[in-house]
Amino acid sequence: SIGCDDFLGSDKVLDKCGVCGGDNTGCQVVSGVFKHALTSLGYHRVVEIPQGATKINITEMHKSNNYLALRSRSGRSIINGNWAIDRPGKYEGGGTMFTYKRPNEISSTAGESFLAEGPTNEILDVYMIHQQPNPGVHYEYVIMRNNAISPQVPPHRRPGEPFNGQLEEEDRGQEDREEREKNQEKEDSQVEAPEVFTSESTQTFPVRHPERFPSHRPDNLVPPAPQPPRRSRDHNWKQLGTTECSTTCGKGSQYPIFRCVHRNTHEEVPESYCDSSMKPTPEEEPCNLFPCPAFWDIGEWSECSKTCGLGMQHRQVLCRQVYANRSLTVQPYRCQHLEKPETTSTCQLKICSEWQIQTDWTSCSVPCGVGQRTRDVKCVSNIGDVVHDEECNMKLRPNDIENCDMGPCAKSWFLTEWSERCSAECGAGVRTRSVVCMTNHVSSLPLEGCGNNRPAEATPCDNGPCTGKVEWFTGSWSQCSIECGSGTQQREVICVRKNADTFEVLDPYECSFLEKPPSQQACHLKPCGAKWFSTEWSMCSKSCQGGFRVREVRCLSDDMTPGSLCDPQLKPEERESCNTQDCVPEVDENCKDKYYNCNVVVQARLCVYNYYKTACCASCTRVANRHVGFLGSR
């Protein structure tokens, strides 16, 4: 393998802050939450991501109509710049790849996010396009300790400050920046930056929430020490800002804030220093007169079109815009910057009840002749409960009773299949089967009278010569360990070599190349077992062109009475195809028509006479074969 140092066989990997072979001790995790209350529509700075940052995660804490934006310090817009909303996806910037996510599922409450592995090769700024109250933005990244900076943005612009309504390159003069630095020095000192945690100190990274910037000092500010009222002409009332706008857009209202200050220094002092009767009355002022961005107004889903099974439901989706506290329906193109929610959806309140076949067909009610067989059919609900038949479609109900034909009731020889094993492990032996004569009748017992043509019960088999042959030798099975039910029985298994007249016991290793027979097996004494018996195959129904032959198959218990304990999967076939070859008459070269009008002989039915049969041999033979084929196919 190749390590991060590009050397073969190196095990070095990058640590959290991108150091090859590092142990994370030089890393610092910077995290915090931007929760400032914003008043004006547009771009507001959230946080600065320094050069060399890794594991970058910028996530909106809840879904909102706001958007996150990303811009390089060189002035290049990376995501959502110039009021253009980009699609979610991957965007390259700052030397790394950012993944932009914007969950659009109706049920999702997750907000937008930027994710990147880093490291960055330049300073990047994260902004929020403010359109509604800020739900909070969590930010986190890892930086080398010597490169770590406070997540607080540079002093020339504090968090949440509007950025001229769009992302553009900063071109203000150095003098403006220095002047603003002086004016904001005091206010910036009131904002507490999130704590910075290193990997040495803790394994978890708790977040400190930065305090929001106050729009004005609290009305209930108490001076550090009580002082007697000193009303003089050295102090007067002065407007220090305004209250927050009642709305972020669409025409709201705000009020001026008056404070008591020193005439010369303009330093704020307790209100008792000013004449309360001279305090101006705050008058309402309009604010945020621009229209709110259009949004999709989503209605409630209609009821499902079906009470069970797959149906449809609908809802109304309108493009609306708020102005002067009124919500107006506008043309849909005004919402084109937003993905339109779905207006139709599939729904399913429950799975419809359905017919289920609970059991297989029973055995035929008679051992021979025509009887009936049944099976259990139930209406089952979507949760598996058996319910009334009326809840299922009666037209689709499967049959639960049908006729069955067990064949004619006559005496026949019934036989089992040949045994699989030869009676001798080597040399000559036999395979056996059971043969019984019985009549197909419910109360019948094994009877004589099936004729003298009794099928053979044994057939020879030979597993090869025994001399010098090495093999496993098995003794007889012991009695079953229990008298009924499932038990076990054992037998001896030894390795032997058979010579001319003797057996030589060998070490088991000598037979290791052979599969060793089991020395223990399960046994079952009660209830009595049963076997499949069948008759010989009947003659084929056709001599050519595909016929069939049949035989009767019965399950018989040990006392040769009909039973139902046989394994259905082992039941022999009762019908099979036979004589599938084509009916092609033999061609006799000497059999030819000597006259051209032999068809007249055929029509006059003169082929029965030897003279015409010879003179019109081919035509008379074709007629004879057609007649035989017709009779054979009946």
Side-chain angles (χ1 to χ4, degrees):
S1 61
I2 301 177
C4 60
D5 54 0
D6 292 333
F7 282 93
L8 285 172
S10 169
D11 294 328
K12 290 184 178 182
V13 295
L14 297 174
D15 66 359
K16 289 182 179 180
C17 46
V19 178
C20 184
D23 58 356
N24 296 320
T25 56
C27 303
Q28 285 184 330
V29 177
V30 180
S31 62
V33 177
F34 176 81
K35 289 188 69 70
H36 298 300
L38 307 174
T39 58
S40 60
L41 182 72
Y43 287 83
H44 296 262
R45 187 192 296 268
V46 174
V47 69
E48 173 187 294
I49 301 174
Q51 181 177 347
T54 61
K55 308 294 181 184
I56 302 166
N57 185 340
I58 312 294
T59 303
E60 195 178 25
M61 299 179 70
H62 198 277
K63 178 188 285 187
S64 72
N65 287 334
N66 300 329
Y67 296 91
L68 296 176
L70 187 65
R71 172 186 177 273
S72 69
R73 186 56 61 84
S74 62
R76 185 175 71 90
S77 174
I78 300 173
I79 301 175
N80 292 346
N82 299 320
W83 289 103
I85 305 303
D86 296 316
R87 290 181 176 272
K90 294 186 179 295
Y91 296 86
E92 193 279 331
T96 185
M97 187 66 68
F98 281 84
T99 300
Y100 175 35
K101 297 181 179 180
R102 181 168 69 242
N104 283 324
E105 296 82 8
I106 296 174
S107 59
S108 173
T109 60
E112 295 192 341
S113 64
F114 294 155
L115 302 175
E117 281 296 317
T120 56
N121 59 9
E122 63 176 326
I123 298 175
L124 303 176
D125 290 321
V126 178
Y127 291 82
M128 172 186 284
I129 305 177
H130 177 248
Q131 297 188 134
Q132 73 173 61
N134 173 26
V137 178
H138 174 264
Y139 53 86
E140 182 176 295
Y141 56 85
V142 180
I143 194 72
M144 288 289 292
R145 180 177 289 110
N146 56 355
N147 290 342
I149 65 168
S150 168
Q152 183 62 38
V153 300
H156 64 268
R157 182 174 294 115
R158 53 178 169 168
E161 183 176 347
F163 191 73
N164 292 341
Q166 62 179 1
L167 289 182
E168 57 185 10
E169 186 172 1
E170 299 177 43
D171 55 2
R172 298 180 180 176
Q174 182 66 27
E175 295 81 9
D176 294 340
R177 293 192 180 94
E178 292 176 356
E179 182 179 352
R180 272 189 299 177
E181 289 174 12
K182 295 177 182 179
N183 294 337
Q184 295 180 6
E185 193 173 33
K186 181 182 293 185
E187 293 185 42
D188 288 343
S189 65
Q190 297 174 358
V191 180
E192 183 177 2
E195 291 187 25
V196 177
F197 295 85
T198 66
S199 58
E200 292 178 319
S201 61
T202 180
Q203 295 299 318
T204 60
F205 309 117
V207 176
R208 292 273 304 277
H209 299 275
E211 300 294 331
R212 65 176 267 193
F213 281 89
S215 59
H216 59 79
R217 290 184 179 273
D219 293 335
N220 59 352
L221 181 65
V222 178
Q227 297 180 4
R230 295 189 305 169
R231 298 174 182 171
S232 68
R233 298 182 60 84
D234 293 336
H235 303 88
N236 63 345
W237 294 101
K238 181 180 179 181
Q239 179 179 345
L240 295 179
T242 58
T243 61
E244 291 185 3
C245 193
S246 59
T247 61
T248 58
C249 58
K251 190 180 181 181
S253 59
Q254 61 185 18
Y255 296 88
I257 299 172
F258 296 103
R259 292 288 184 263
C260 185
V261 299
H262 194 279
R263 285 182 179 274
N264 297 326
T265 64
H266 298 284
E267 182 180 357
E268 186 176 348
V269 297
E271 292 191 357
S272 58
Y273 283 74
C274 294
D275 187 353
S276 59
S277 63
M278 300 298 293
K279 184 176 182 180
T281 302
E283 294 184 0
E284 181 181 351
E285 299 175 359
C287 56
N288 292 341
L289 301 179
F290 50 85
C292 293
F295 63 94
W296 291 113
D297 189 9
I298 304 172
E300 295 293 330
W301 286 110
S302 65
E303 292 185 0
C304 196
S305 61
K306 293 185 178 180
T307 56
C308 71
L310 197 64
M312 296 293 294
Q313 57 184 168
H314 309 272
R315 65 180 177 184
Q316 191 175 42
V317 177
L318 300 176
C319 183
R320 301 180 70 86
Q321 201 164 11
V322 176
Y323 185 74
N325 295 324
R326 292 179 58 197
S327 180
L328 306 175
T329 302
V330 295
Q331 292 296 326
Y333 75 85
R334 296 197 182 184
C335 292
Q336 62 185 0
H337 64 287
L338 301 172
E339 184 174 347
K340 185 176 182 179
E342 296 293 337
T343 57
T344 60
S345 175
T346 58
C347 55
Q348 183 169 286
L349 300 179
K350 65 176 183 178
I351 301 174
C352 298
S353 300
E354 61 180 2
W355 294 109
Q356 286 188 6
I357 299 173
Q358 303 279 321
T359 61
D360 294 330
W361 288 108
T362 61
S363 299
C364 198
S365 59
V366 294
C368 63
V370 178
Q372 287 186 328
R373 60 178 186 172
T374 60
R375 62 182 177 183
D376 199 10
V377 176
K378 298 291 185 184
C379 180
V380 180
S381 70
N382 62 311
I383 59 175
D385 294 336
V386 176
V387 295
H388 293 294
D389 287 359
E390 290 75 14
E391 292 196 23
C392 290
N393 189 343
M394 296 299 294
K395 294 181 180 180
L396 302 178
R397 191 179 196 276
N399 291 333
D400 59 355
I401 186 170
E402 69 176 12
N403 292 336
C404 49
D405 188 351
M406 302 302 290
C409 295
K411 294 181 180 179
S412 302
W413 289 110
F414 282 78
L415 355 146
T416 63
E417 299 289 339
W418 289 109
S419 61
E420 294 184 1
R421 296 182 57 183
C422 192
S423 61
E425 295 289 333
C426 59
V430 294
R431 291 194 299 159
T432 60
R433 66 180 177 184
S434 298
V435 179
V436 62
C437 173
M438 67 174 294
T439 181
N440 292 326
H441 194 272
V442 175
S443 60
S444 67
L445 294 175
L447 298 174
E448 298 298 329
C450 291
N452 297 327
N453 204 9
R454 180 185 180 91
E457 296 182 85
T459 185
C461 56
D462 192 337
N463 286 332
C466 298
T467 304
K469 185 177 181 180
V470 176
E471 60 184 340
W472 291 107
F473 182 85
T474 58
S476 59
W477 289 106
S478 66
Q479 289 187 353
C480 197
S481 60
I482 58 176
E483 295 183 358
C484 63
S486 298
T488 58
Q489 54 186 166
Q490 287 78 30
R491 65 179 178 184
E492 291 290 332
V493 180
I494 59 176
C495 180
V496 299
R497 177 187 290 115
K498 184 175 182 180
N499 298 319
D501 298 318
T502 60
F503 287 91
E504 178 184 359
V505 179
L506 304 177
D507 189 277
Y509 171 77
E510 300 291 333
C511 292
S512 60
F513 66 97
L514 299 171
E515 182 179 358
K516 186 176 182 181
S519 59
Q520 177 176 302
Q521 72 176 8
C523 53
H524 187 83
L525 298 181
K526 294 180 182 179
C528 293
K531 295 181 181 179
W532 289 108
F533 284 74
S534 61
T535 65
E536 294 281 5
W537 286 108
S538 68
M539 293 293 292
C540 192
S541 62
K542 295 175 65 176
S543 60
C544 58
Q545 287 188 337
F548 66 91
R549 59 180 184 173
V550 295
R551 64 178 176 181
E552 293 187 49
V553 179
R554 297 287 179 268
C555 178
L556 303 179
S557 57
D558 288 347
D559 58 358
M560 298 305 164
T561 58
S564 60
L565 300 178
C566 296
D567 188 348
Q569 295 183 349
L570 300 179
K571 183 178 181 180
E573 294 293 331
E574 296 178 286
R575 175 175 172 152
E576 70 176 10
S577 301
C578 55
N579 293 340
T580 58
Q581 73 277 4
D582 293 333
C583 296
V584 180
E586 295 182 3
V587 179
D588 186 356
E589 292 294 333
N590 296 322
C591 183
K592 297 181 179 179
D593 289 342
K594 298 180 180 179
Y595 301 99
Y596 69 90
N597 58 345
C598 283
N599 59 322
V600 177
V601 174
V602 173
Q603 294 173 2
R605 299 183 180 179
L606 299 176
C607 289
V608 295
Y609 299 100
N610 288 333
Y611 172 79
Y612 292 105
K613 186 185 299 185
T614 303
C616 296
C617 181
S619 296
C620 289
T621 302
R622 278 197 298 271
V623 159
N625 287 337
R626 269 202 306 270
H627 185 64
V628 172
F630 172 76
L631 292 177
S633 63
R634 295 180 62 184

